[in-house]
Amino acid sequence: MEPSFAAAEVTNGVGPCTLRVGTAGWNIPKAVSDRFPGEGTHLQRYATTFRAAEINSSFYKPHRRVTYERWAESVPQDFRFSVKLPKSISHAASAEEQDALVHRFSEEVHGLGHRLGVVLVQFPPKRSFGRAEMDRLFARLSATFSCAIACEPRHVSWFEALAERFLIDRQIARVAADPPLFSQASGPGGCSGLRYYRLHGSPIVYRSSYDDGRLEQIAKTLEAAAASGGQTWCIFDNTAASAAAINALALTDVLCKSVAPDE
């Protein structure tokens, strides 16, 4: 198998920072199965090539702590998971319910141990920015999790100066999403310690594959982000037609070429 860029360090002149490329879930399409070992679970095979995965299923249903522990034991020490906050918290929970729900989620997901890299919060399109409401939620999350926190808002109010200042003060990263619902959503925001790119597929969300030209553009964006310091994540979420792993592999190939030593 070819070496993967996913575990490589990118030096920014001050110190190393890690650029992680992966997919939502760890499905391995038949079209690229030869890029992975033939033995092991899907996650074990996936983790030989990528160093990050996003767990989306937690958004819809809880997983037992032992399940997270098993996943953690299946991957190398330097592998990291991003885990999506349950929609029962991000979409519907009242202030009174939040504490208990966050506590339950924490008890489960901390089964990942140090391999928990990011807690991802995705808000519904109708969820506008409200300072008091969001201050309570993110204060609770920051007190519960020592890892990075990222949010993917989908209401225009989140891209105004007041919300941006809030995210910076709270050390929360705003996701860069493709396709963006608003022009401002195409680039990352909030704290500079984490730049988190979620590529959903365009023009057909969750299904469309990215062509070579677009992947080369994405590679340049990621290289620039990684060179500025902090963590940089790129997760392909175009999983409905099995394009995510294919695109992620193609992107790592482009990145590998850009950092290959001169012959």
Side-chain angles (χ1 to χ4, degrees), residues 136-149:
R136 188 182 192 285
L137 172 59
F138 283 109
R140 183 75 176 94
L141 294 176
S142 296
T144 304
F145 298 99
S146 59
C147 64
I149 299 174

Side-chain angles (χ1 to χ4, degrees), residues 18-32:
T18 302
L19 167 57
R20 298 182 183 274
V21 176
T23 66
W26 39 84
N27 180 56
I28 299 174
K30 185 176 181 179
V32 291

Side-chain angles (χ1 to χ4, degrees), residues 46-67:
Y46 171 97
T48 63
T49 298
F50 298 116
R51 289 296 178 267
E54 185 180 277
I55 299 174
N56 275 331
S57 54
S58 56
F59 184 68
Y60 302 101
K61 63 179 183 179
H63 297 297
R64 295 182 301 166
R65 185 184 180 98
V66 294
T67 299

Side-chain angles (χ1 to χ4, degrees), residues 94-260:
S94 65
E96 293 73 22
E97 296 169 324
Q98 274 183 6
D99 286 350
L101 291 171
V102 170
H103 176 74
R104 174 182 173 174
F105 177 63
S106 171
E107 287 293 302
E108 296 163 352
V109 78
H110 273 119
L112 292 175
H114 74 272
R115 294 178 180 85
L116 174 59
V118 179
V119 168
L120 173 65
V121 184
Q122 185 186 64
F123 292 117
K126 65 180 181 181
R127 194 74 175 268
S128 61
F129 173 74
R131 175 80 191 215
E133 176 189 15
M134 293 303 159
D135 197 48
R136 188 182 192 285
L137 172 59
F138 283 109
R140 183 75 176 94
L141 294 176
S142 296
T144 304
F145 298 99
S146 59
C147 64
I149 299 174
C151 76
E152 183 177 13
R154 292 177 287 174
H155 188 279
V156 69
S157 61
W158 283 89
F159 301 91
E160 297 174 353
L162 184 64
E164 177 69 7
R165 174 45 55 188
F166 168 82
L167 293 172
I168 293 172
D169 291 345
R170 273 286 176 199
Q171 290 295 289
I172 307 299
R174 192 188 72 232
V175 166
D178 185 79
L181 295 178
F182 315 100
S183 59
Q184 306 98 310
S186 62
C191 75
S192 59
L194 170 65
R195 295 170 179 84
Y196 197 107
Y197 295 81
R198 296 192 84 215
L199 308 181
H200 301 294
S202 180
I204 304 176
V205 176
Y206 307 128
R207 299 192 66 85
S208 290
S209 181
Y210 293 94
D211 63 27
D212 292 345
R214 184 73 176 97
L215 291 173
E216 289 179 0
Q217 294 174 352
I218 292 168
K220 291 178 181 179
T221 297
L222 295 177
E223 287 171 334
S228 65
Q231 301 181 58
T232 299
W233 286 55
C234 179
I235 297 294
F236 285 89
D237 189 34
N238 50 342
T239 57
S242 300
I246 296 171
N247 284 165
L249 284 169
L251 176 63
T252 60
D253 288 343
V254 174
L255 291 167
C256 279
K257 290 178 181 178
S258 70
V259 297

